[in-house]
């Protein structure tokens, strides 16, 4: 057994006690999440009958509970919410309808994400588009334009919720897809149409859109932010396949997002993302305990709401210095490289000229 395997085995052993499902806690989370979500939606509708301003606080709170519902969905994808695979699949599909995410498609892509996070040679599934400095420098103009457009915060967090949750997830992924996964996507779409159609029939389509669109847009924006910031911090972890380490990708490539207790509860402890990446079978309600009980996991990069805002400027991965840089820093890097190249060429020409001068 090599060192990496030994380290994985040791950490897995320390975290193993927290991988156990507590059915009572799981059911309690369903009650404390789904019921408040529906109640807040009803209160938003009531507020709308008085004034839209009165509905806004309930809409914002509702968005928070959509995120919490997604955490239950997320645990089901890892088979960590219930002991029964069937129970996880059923709840995952139902919460997938509520969050507009196809359960089996997302489960596949997220499993790949866990197996390849931080691996520069296996990017492209279940992650965000990231280019290294050299890749960007060598890219054609149209790819550079597309990348800059994609990485702009207004696109990532502004258009992202619409592009991902409302458009992309309505279709099956490309490539060979199993029948169960395809059918689950169709079932999710039918469920969304039926559920939201019923809501439109009950409250009217205008009221439905005034409440549902901002709830899901805000939830989508915050969900993308959580995923973004927990892997894209200044000194995160990226390596090529031959040097890539599962443990380092988990502990060094996933942050501990230290949130206020209320937000930690709403987001289902997903801030302990390093623990989750090390052991996806740990239910969300045990993540904090696993973090506290496992000293090596406490070495993960800790970020707060204030420090996480720095991530908005990160654009390219610097392989040499192992840090993210901004486009402004890239331009400085490019000018520095050009000067170094010019100086090297000048020295080369000077060296070639000297023998001729001595002969004269």
């Amino acid at each position: 057994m090599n060192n990496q395997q030994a380290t994985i085995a040791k950490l897995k052993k320390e975290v193993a006690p927290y991988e156990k499902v507590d059915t009572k806690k799981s059911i309690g989370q369903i009650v404390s999440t789904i019921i408040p979500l529906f109640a807040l939606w009803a209160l938003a509708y009531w507020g709308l009958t008085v004034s839209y301003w009165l509905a806004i606080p309930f809409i914002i709170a509702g968005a928070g509970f959509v995120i919490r519902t997604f955490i239950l969905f997320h645990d089901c994808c890892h088979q960590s919410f219930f002991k029964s695979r069937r129970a996880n699949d059923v709840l995952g599909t139902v919460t997938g309808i509520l969050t507009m995410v196809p359960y089996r498609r997302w489960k596949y892509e997220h499993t790949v994400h866990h197996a390849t996070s931080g691996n520069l040679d296996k990017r492209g599934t279940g992650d965000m588009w990231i280019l290294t400095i050299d890749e960007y420098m060598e890219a054609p103009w149209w790819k550079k334009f597309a990348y800059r457009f994609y990485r702009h915060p207004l696109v990532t967090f502004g258009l992202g919720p619409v592009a991902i949750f409302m458009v992309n997830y309505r279709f099956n992924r490309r490539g060979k897809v199993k029948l169960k996964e395809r059918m689950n996507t169709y079932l999710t779409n039918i469920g969304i149409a039926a559920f939201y159609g019923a809501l439109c029939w009950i409250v009217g389509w205008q009221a439905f859109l005034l409440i549902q669109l901002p709830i899901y847009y805000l939830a989508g924006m915050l969900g993308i932010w959580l995923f973004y910031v927990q892997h894209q911090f200044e000194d995160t972890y990226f390596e090529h396949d031959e040097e890539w380490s599962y443990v380092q990708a988990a502990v060094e490539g996933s942050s501990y997002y230290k949130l206020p207790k209320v937000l930690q509860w709403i987001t289902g402890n997903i801030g302990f993302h390093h623990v989750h990446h090390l052991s996806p079978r740990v239910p969300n309600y045990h993540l904090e305990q696993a973090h506290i009980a496992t000293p090596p996991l406490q070495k993960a990069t800790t970020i707060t709401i204030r420090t996480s805002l720095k991530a908005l400027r990160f654009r390219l991965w610097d392989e040499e210095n192992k840090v993210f840089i901004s486009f402004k820093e890239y331009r400085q890097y490019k000018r520095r490289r050009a000067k170094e190249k010019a100086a090297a060429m000048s020295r080369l020409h000077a060296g070639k000229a000297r023998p001729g001068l001595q002969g004269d």
Side-chain angles (χ1 to χ4, degrees):
M1 180 181 287
N2 60 36
N3 289 337
Q4 180 180 337
Q5 290 174 324
T7 303
I8 292 173
K10 184 175 183 297
L11 281 174
K12 286 277 190 181
K13 187 177 180 179
E14 291 184 38
V15 173
Y18 304 97
E19 295 178 344
K20 295 178 181 177
V21 171
D22 185 328
T23 304
K24 287 184 178 179
K25 284 186 178 180
S26 295
I27 292 173
Q29 283 199 332
I30 295 172
V31 173
S32 65
T33 302
I34 306 301
I35 292 176
L37 174 61
F38 288 163
L40 286 164
W41 209 101
L43 286 169
Y45 177 66
W46 168 79
L48 191 63
T49 62
V50 179
S51 166
Y52 195 67
W53 289 105
L54 187 59
I56 289 176
F58 300 119
I59 287 171
I60 294 172
F65 277 87
V66 170
I67 292 174
R68 186 167 170 80
T69 302
F70 184 83
I71 296 301
L72 308 190
F73 165 89
H74 171 264
D75 274 16
C76 289
C77 288
H78 287 293
Q79 301 295 313
S80 64
F81 200 69
F82 287 122
K83 295 175 184 177
S84 164
R85 178 173 292 274
R86 182 181 292 275
N88 282 307
D89 290 346
V90 170
L91 182 64
T93 299
V94 171
T95 50
I97 291 170
L98 294 177
T99 56
M100 298 183 69
V101 183
Y103 170 71
R104 290 194 180 275
R105 174 188 165 176
W106 198 86
K107 179 181 178 180
Y108 170 83
E109 293 179 338
H110 194 61
T111 299
V112 174
H113 163 69
H114 270 263
T116 61
S117 179
N119 192 320
L120 288 170
D121 297 319
K122 295 181 179 179
R123 288 168 285 171
T125 300
D127 56 7
M128 301 192 78
W129 190 12
I130 295 170
L131 291 179
T132 66
I133 290 177
D134 290 339
E135 288 169 343
Y136 182 79
M137 189 175 290
E138 295 168 6
W141 70 268
W142 57 267
K143 189 173 183 179
K144 287 180 179 177
F145 175 81
Y147 186 73
R148 292 181 75 100
F149 180 79
Y150 174 90
R151 298 287 301 192
H152 195 286
L154 290 178
V155 175
T156 302
F157 307 108
L159 295 180
V162 176
I164 296 173
F165 294 98
M166 296 184 183
V167 179
N168 184 264
Y169 283 157
R170 302 286 61 81
F171 303 94
N172 284 302
R173 58 186 173 85
R174 294 178 180 177
K176 190 176 180 179
V177 180
K178 291 182 179 179
L179 179 62
K180 273 190 175 181
E181 185 179 324
R182 291 203 307 271
M183 296 307 295
N184 183 261
T185 300
Y186 302 146
L187 177 61
T188 301
N189 290 339
I190 291 169
I192 290 170
F195 181 60
Y196 295 160
L199 278 176
C200 287
W201 180 72
I202 294 169
V203 305
W205 67 269
Q206 297 97 330
F208 172 80
L209 291 178
L210 286 171
I211 297 170
Q212 191 71 0
L213 282 181
I215 283 179
Y216 275 77
Y217 182 79
L218 183 58
M221 183 170 62
L222 294 175
I224 292 172
W225 169 253
L226 285 170
F227 185 80
Y228 176 91
V229 77
Q230 292 188 313
H231 289 290
Q232 304 199 39
F233 45 95
E234 189 169 12
D235 54 349
T236 187
Y237 177 86
F238 281 100
E239 289 292 351
H240 286 283
D241 194 42
E242 63 272 12
E243 297 173 344
W244 181 81
S245 160
Y246 179 86
V247 171
Q248 284 183 281
V251 180
E252 297 176 20
S254 305
S255 66
Y256 164 35
Y257 201 5
K258 193 173 183 180
L259 296 169
K261 284 296 181 181
V262 173
L263 293 181
Q264 180 182 321
W265 184 85
I266 283 288
T267 57
N269 295 313
I270 200 63
F272 296 96
H273 210 59
H274 57 302
V275 182
H276 170 64
H277 261 263
L278 177 68
S279 183
R281 295 302 295 270
V282 176
N284 73 83
Y285 43 77
H286 288 329
L287 288 171
E288 183 174 15
Q289 294 170 282
H291 168 80
I292 293 170
T294 314
L297 295 180
Q298 295 168 20
K299 297 177 183 178
T301 299
T302 301
I303 57 175
T304 63
I305 292 176
R306 183 180 63 81
T307 59
S308 68
L309 296 177
K310 291 171 59 180
L312 287 170
R313 67 182 183 84
F314 297 148
R315 299 290 184 272
L316 298 165
W317 178 248
D318 182 342
E319 289 190 78
E320 183 179 350
N321 297 303
K322 309 295 184 186
V323 293
F324 266 115
I325 66 169
S326 65
F327 280 130
K328 181 180 179 181
E329 290 168 323
Y330 167 74
R331 289 192 293 271
Q332 294 170 348
Y333 169 84
K334 194 175 178 182
R335 285 196 293 268
R336 188 167 63 251
R337 280 276 298 266
K339 288 180 181 178
E340 290 172 355
K341 187 175 180 180
M345 290 298 292
S346 178
R347 288 194 297 271
L348 180 63
H349 288 312
K352 288 181 178 179
R354 283 193 191 101
L357 289 171
Q358 289 173 355
D360 291 341

